[in-house]
Amino acid sequence: MRFLLDDEHREFARSLDALLRASDTPAVVRAWSTGDHGPGRALWSRLAEAGVLGLAVPEEYDGLGLLPVELTVAFTELGRHAVPGPLVETVAAAALLDRLGDRHATWLRGMASGKTVATLCPPADDTPYALDADMADLVLVVTGDTLRVAESTGPVQPSADPARRLSRPTGGTVLAEGPHLRRAAAYATDIGTLATAAQALGVGRALLDRTVSHVRQRHQFGRPIGSFQAVKHRLADVLISLEFTEPLIHAAALSLASASEHAARDIAAAKAAAGDTVHLAARTALQCHGAIGYTDELDLSLWIRKAQALRTAWGTPSACRARVLTT
């Protein structure tokens, strides 16, 4: 099994990196946190043009087909640049609707084009909250073997990460129900979990890059603090954790692409590792930055808050480990 990205994957990552660097994503995140979705929707459209939102939509609905490896490449870059919005939820919703037949072609085409922003309550979490439901065009809720389109999203709840606007959808009409829905929801959960793991990996890499840059510039006792062995060791631990997590994510993507019977297990293992890694990266970044790491004014806080949220989104590390043992 090949765990390394090829030239096309790396070029795709570089093109997304260039797009996002030019988009001033910290400003987009800050606007999103206050409920101003205009800059985020503009960025959403550019991501759709780059093909990101079509990676979980079949070609017959104007997507690119399910491309799990490319999906992890894209979401790693989205995490690296802290892009806000229900991106994971939209690709998971696309996977869910695709498994329910062609009656939802209009929504699938809308998601691939970026015109339809979808969100859903993660089916396996039993959580009543949906991400960014206040701005989504389509809010899906799975309860047992029933799928409904929410009628009301409710007020936005306080969150550790203001850029992740959580609310509790209520009411709505039943869209599908039955045993086949449980299978479709399980598949959508795999897609959402894998994308979140990749996003967490990108957040971890951004935290490490920013921390390395800081310890090279910050001086103490006449020397850069990065020259002290204790600091080097902590940063090396983060790097090693990232390097071990990345092949797990790629292996999970390959398992999904080949419809392996172990795909769910591999995805859960990748998410557990990514959750631990991003937590380590955030903790190390905060310690190496000292008190300024806590401040809202420093962009680092945007990644630290996202790290906390992604660690538990679509499966906590302990829940994912339990899934590895039972699948």
Side-chain angles (χ1 to χ4, degrees):
M1 183 175 288
R2 180 181 174 82
F3 295 109
L4 297 177
L5 301 179
D6 61 24
D7 290 342
E8 287 189 7
H9 294 142
R10 285 191 283 272
E11 180 56 34
F12 182 42
R14 282 193 290 270
S15 67
L16 285 179
D17 178 56
L19 184 157
L20 295 169
R21 282 184 188 280
S23 300
D24 190 12
T25 53
V28 175
V29 175
R30 295 186 191 284
W32 193 277
S33 301
T34 64
D36 176 7
H37 299 117
R41 289 298 295 250
L43 179 56
W44 189 282
S45 296
R46 291 196 289 276
L47 290 171
E49 291 172 1
V52 172
L53 298 171
L55 290 172
V57 177
E59 291 180 88
E60 60 196 280
Y61 304 126
D62 305 331
L64 300 172
L66 178 62
L67 300 173
V69 176
E70 286 77 1
L71 194 70
T72 60
V73 170
F75 275 84
T76 299
E77 291 306 314
L78 296 176
R80 190 193 294 271
H81 292 276
V83 178
L87 291 150
V88 168
E89 287 69 22
T90 291
V91 296
L96 174 63
L97 294 178
D98 176 42
R99 288 292 171 113
L100 296 178
D102 59 5
R103 290 178 300 162
H104 313 296
T106 301
W107 280 335
L108 288 169
R109 290 193 174 93
M111 291 179 204
S113 69
K115 294 178 180 176
T116 300
V117 176
T119 190
L120 80 163
C121 298
D125 279 2
D126 292 329
T127 172
Y129 297 104
L131 178 65
D132 296 316
D134 60 318
M135 57 75 65
D137 305 301
L138 176 64
V139 181
L140 300 175
V141 179
V142 177
T143 307
D145 59 0
T146 301
L147 170 66
R148 58 186 171 84
V149 179
E151 185 177 69
S152 172
T153 61
V156 175
Q157 303 293 316
S159 171
D161 179 6
R164 291 176 63 86
R165 298 168 61 82
L166 301 174
S167 54
R168 188 168 185 164
T170 57
T173 55
V174 174
L175 195 64
E177 56 187 345
H180 68 294
L181 177 63
R182 286 184 182 270
R183 293 190 292 273
Y187 178 69
T189 298
D190 284 344
I191 299 294
T193 304
L194 179 63
T196 304
Q199 201 174 16
L201 175 69
V203 170
R205 291 209 175 279
L207 286 167
L208 179 61
D209 291 346
R210 286 173 174 271
T211 306
V212 169
S213 177
H214 175 74
V215 300
R216 282 174 173 166
Q217 297 175 21
R218 175 90 165 95
H219 283 65
Q220 192 67 274
F221 307 115
R223 297 167 55 189
I225 62 173
S227 65
F228 295 110
Q229 195 172 48
V231 175
K232 289 181 180 178
H233 283 179
R234 291 193 67 84
L235 295 174
D237 287 343
V238 176
L239 177 61
I240 290 170
S241 188
L242 289 165
E243 292 297 308
F244 275 95
T245 297
E246 186 166 0
L248 284 175
I249 292 173
H250 293 163
L254 290 170
S255 287
L256 187 63
S258 63
S260 165
E261 60 178 321
H262 302 303
R265 181 201 62 188
D266 294 345
I267 290 169
K271 177 59 172 59
D276 289 342
T277 295
V278 77
H279 179 63
L280 175 64
R283 195 175 58 195
T284 302
L286 192 56
Q287 186 169 22
C288 291
H289 278 78
I292 63 170
Y294 287 98
T295 60
D296 283 337
E297 290 77 8
L298 189 69
D299 285 346
L300 183 78
S301 64
L302 305 179
W303 278 266
I304 287 179
R305 287 176 164 175
K306 188 172 285 295
Q308 292 175 323
L310 292 180
R311 186 189 185 205
T312 56
W314 292 86
T316 64
S318 60
C320 288
R321 289 191 181 91
R323 194 175 172 197
V324 170
L325 294 173
T326 56
T327 54

